[in-house]
């Protein structure tokens, strides 16, 4: 294979090891033929230099000759040295790509990294608001409305209704914007649902076209009823069957909900970036804290697997830990000792 000198990928500064000829040829190939950026090529170069370092620790003189067992040893050593799971996954991916290229060009017979899997990264807990913060999102409605024009007040009524509904029923934002004023003539379709003010529930079509019915709290029902009255009295109401519409009568989009919610939270001085899914997390966490019924939370969220819902038990534990730290006398003494 001819090696072009028109666009050579620089060796990363500060690393003494020099890449093997086949490694350098691979980097030039991805730069020239795959058109990867210099930053990406440099990232591949660092990962291959790390492979050389790992080979030195195992007394492997020719990196192209490493075995599956030796690659597993390298991964274990990196993990033991404190490398994060995401970083190791990137290293393994880079090594695998290089060996795939070696096999394709006849330099080696098999890819020893093909079956290697990096350690799984620990899943972070979803971010949820406190009950006080959620209440604060709609608690100052009258004060905010007093300084608004009629058009702005209409939008605020809509925003309060959608915030209440997101939190009250744990809806996905896509489910929220798909709601209609009235139920469809036939079966639930096109992702549309509706709020049944009489029965006090919301009908939605979730992921996988799976319908579900979720209870709606009293505050949310009042907010939706208030918004509906204002919506139906507006001139733009006839342009769409959507429950939540914009100033020109078209169905409100996901991005609009995200922006309005974040803007509203900033106006109230909430210390975090608030997005619609955070209200869904808050709903799940608060219901679980008060009821302990994981199965019911699963059904209301529309999770197919209970494992997807179990992540909220971690939030519940965090909540209990905070209560313990604040109320338990020995925890209080420990904190005092630490402060001293």
């Amino acid at each position: 294979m001819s090696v072009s000198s028109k666009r050579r990928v620089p060796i990363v500064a500060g690393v003494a090891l020099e890449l093997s000829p086949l490694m350098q040829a691979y980097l030039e190939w991805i730069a020239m033929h795959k058109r990867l950026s210099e930053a990406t090529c440099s990232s591949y170069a660092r990962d291959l230099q790390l492979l050389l370092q790992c080979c030195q620790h195992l007394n492997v003189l020719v990196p192209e000759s490493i075995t599956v067992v030796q690659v597993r040893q390298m991964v274990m050593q990196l993990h033991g040295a404190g490398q994060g799971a995401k970083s190791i996954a990137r290293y393994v991916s880079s090594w695998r790509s290089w060996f795939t290229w070696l096999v394709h060009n006849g330099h080696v017979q098999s890819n020893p990294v093909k079956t290697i899997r990096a350690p799984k990264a620990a899943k972070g807990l979803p971010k949820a608001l406190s009950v006080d913060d959620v209440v604060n999102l709609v608690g100052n409605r009258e004060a905010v409305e007093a300084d608004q024009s009629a058009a702005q007040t209409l939008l605020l009524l809509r925003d309060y209704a959608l915030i209440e509904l997101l939190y009250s029923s744990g809806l996905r934002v896509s489910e929220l914007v798909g709601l209609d004023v009235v139920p469809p003539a036939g079966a639930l379709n096109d992702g549309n649902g509706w709020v049944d003010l009489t029965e006090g529930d919301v009908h939605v079509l979730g992921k996988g076209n799976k319908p579900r019915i979720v209870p709606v709290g009293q505050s949310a029902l009042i907010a939706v009823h208030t918004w509906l009255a204002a919506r139906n009295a507006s001139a733009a109401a006839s342009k769409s069957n959507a429950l939540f519409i914009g100033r020109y009568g078209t169905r409100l989009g996901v991005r609009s909900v995200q922006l309005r919610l974040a803007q509203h939270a900033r106006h109230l001085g909430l210390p975090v970036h608030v997005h619609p899914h955070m209200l869904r997390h808050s709903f799940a966490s608060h219901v679980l804290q008060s009821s302990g019924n994981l199965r019911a939370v699963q059904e209301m969220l529309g999770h197919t697997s209970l494992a997807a819902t179990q992540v909220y038990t971690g939030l519940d534990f965090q909540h209990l830990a905070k209560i313990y730290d604040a109320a338990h006398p020995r925890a209080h003494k420990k904190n005092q000792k630490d402060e001293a």
Side-chain angles (χ1 to χ4, degrees):
M1 185 184 70
S2 62
V3 177
S4 172
S5 61
K6 291 182 179 179
R7 186 184 177 192
R8 297 189 62 85
V9 179
I11 301 302
V12 180
V15 179
L17 292 176
E18 183 178 349
L19 293 178
S20 71
L22 285 176
M23 286 180 173
Q24 186 64 37
Y26 168 71
L27 292 174
E28 292 175 356
W29 178 79
I30 63 174
M32 294 298 297
H33 296 277
K34 297 190 72 174
R35 295 292 181 182
L36 299 184
S37 68
E38 288 193 11
T40 302
C41 291
S42 295
S43 179
Y44 273 98
R46 285 190 292 269
D47 294 344
L48 291 177
Q49 285 176 332
L50 178 62
L51 176 60
L52 286 175
Q53 292 176 349
C54 292
C55 285
Q56 278 195 345
H57 285 298
L58 295 178
N59 296 318
V60 177
L61 299 179
V62 182
E64 293 84 4
S65 67
I66 59 175
T67 65
V68 175
V69 174
Q70 288 170 331
V71 176
R72 288 200 179 101
Q73 286 180 291
M74 294 175 183
V75 171
M76 291 172 61
Q77 288 174 353
L78 290 171
H79 186 61
Q83 289 279 356
K86 289 184 179 179
S87 296
I88 296 176
R90 195 195 76 215
Y91 304 148
V92 170
S93 177
S94 297
W95 301 348
R96 186 184 298 116
S97 297
W98 178 55
F99 271 97
T100 298
W101 177 84
L102 290 174
V103 172
H104 180 76
N105 288 277
H107 298 296
V108 298
Q109 292 185 344
S110 61
N111 187 341
V113 197
K114 185 176 181 179
T115 59
I116 301 298
R117 295 292 178 267
K120 289 186 177 180
K123 291 185 177 180
L125 292 175
K127 295 181 179 180
L129 294 169
S130 68
V131 175
D132 289 340
D133 283 340
V134 174
V135 171
N136 192 29
L137 276 174
V138 291
N140 297 321
R141 189 171 80 183
E142 292 79 6
V144 174
E145 287 177 0
D147 298 327
Q148 305 296 326
S149 64
Q152 287 296 322
T153 298
L154 181 67
L155 296 181
L156 284 172
L157 290 176
R158 179 203 64 193
D159 293 347
Y160 293 131
L162 65 85
I163 291 171
E164 287 274 16
L165 197 53
L166 282 170
Y167 174 64
S168 173
S169 303
L171 302 185
R172 299 179 178 93
V173 64
S174 58
E175 296 167 346
L176 178 88
V177 298
L179 295 175
D180 283 338
V181 176
V182 295
L188 211 64
N189 55 38
D190 297 330
N192 293 343
W194 72 98
V195 178
D196 190 330
L197 295 175
T198 303
E199 296 296 328
D201 52 39
V202 56
H203 297 241
V204 296
L205 195 64
K207 288 185 176 179
N209 292 329
K210 294 183 178 179
R212 73 180 189 279
I213 302 175
V214 188
V216 179
Q218 188 64 29
S219 295
L221 287 174
I222 294 173
V224 171
H225 184 271
T226 303
W227 157 242
L228 270 174
R231 175 202 180 280
N232 295 338
S234 68
S238 61
K239 296 182 180 179
S240 173
N241 193 40
L243 174 59
F244 295 112
I245 57 177
R247 65 177 72 243
Y248 301 113
T250 57
R251 184 181 296 272
L252 199 65
V254 169
R255 185 59 179 157
S256 295
V257 176
Q258 293 169 340
L259 292 173
R260 292 287 295 186
L261 180 56
Q263 179 184 0
H264 193 55
R266 286 195 303 269
H267 180 78
L268 294 173
L270 268 65
V272 295
H273 170 68
V274 180
H275 53 83
H277 219 66
M278 184 179 284
L279 291 179
R280 179 172 162 89
H281 293 325
S282 304
F283 159 83
S285 176
H286 299 165
V287 171
L288 186 60
Q289 288 170 11
S290 60
S291 69
N293 193 331
L294 191 64
R295 184 70 66 178
V297 174
Q298 177 196 1
E299 292 180 1
M300 287 187 285
L301 290 176
H303 285 164
T304 303
S305 169
L306 189 62
T309 315
Q310 285 175 330
V311 65
Y312 295 105
T313 60
L315 288 177
D316 190 35
F317 178 80
Q318 281 188 343
H319 172 72
L320 294 174
K322 288 179 181 178
I323 293 177
Y324 174 87
D325 289 339
H328 197 286
R330 293 189 66 82
H332 183 62
K333 290 178 181 178
K334 178 179 180 298
N335 292 339
Q336 287 181 332
K337 183 178 179 181
D338 291 341
E339 291 174 359

